Amino acid sequence: MTKDEYIAFLEQQNMQYYKEIQQLTYEKGYLQGRLYVFIQHYPRLGMDIEKGGKYYELKRKGGEQ
């Protein structure tokens, strides 16, 4: 494999990974949106979404129980 072929191979892999990252980012946003709607639709659950760190956390309202 020549240097140019290797560079073309790496660029192809880079494009594939970029597409996968875009898809996963979209799915993450979609699922977070669904979670917000679910929590708002069922307020009797007494849950709240707390932002922090890398992931969102689902916690009970009113502190620890």
Side-chain angles (χ1 to χ4, degrees):
M1 182 179 285
T2 65
K3 183 179 177 182
D4 291 333
E5 291 173 339
Y6 185 65
I7 290 172
F9 170 74
L10 290 178
E11 287 176 351
Q12 179 186 6
Q13 290 294 99
N14 190 27
M15 285 298 289
Q16 180 182 352
Y17 293 144
Y18 180 75
K19 288 178 184 177
E20 289 177 15
I21 289 170
Q22 292 296 332
Q23 180 66 28
L24 291 172
T25 303
Y26 170 78
E27 290 173 3
K28 176 185 170 190
Y30 176 75
L31 291 174
Q32 284 178 347
R34 292 279 310 254
L35 181 61
Y36 280 123
V37 169
F38 185 78
I39 295 300
Q40 290 173 354
H41 195 265
Y42 297 101
R44 293 180 58 207
L45 291 175
M47 302 297 274
D48 199 14
I49 298 172
E50 188 174 288
K51 295 181 183 180
K54 191 173 180 182
Y55 302 103
Y56 289 82
E57 233 179 292
L58 201 57
K59 297 223 175 187
R60 285 203 170 276
K61 289 184 181 176
E64 294 292 324
Q65 292 184 358

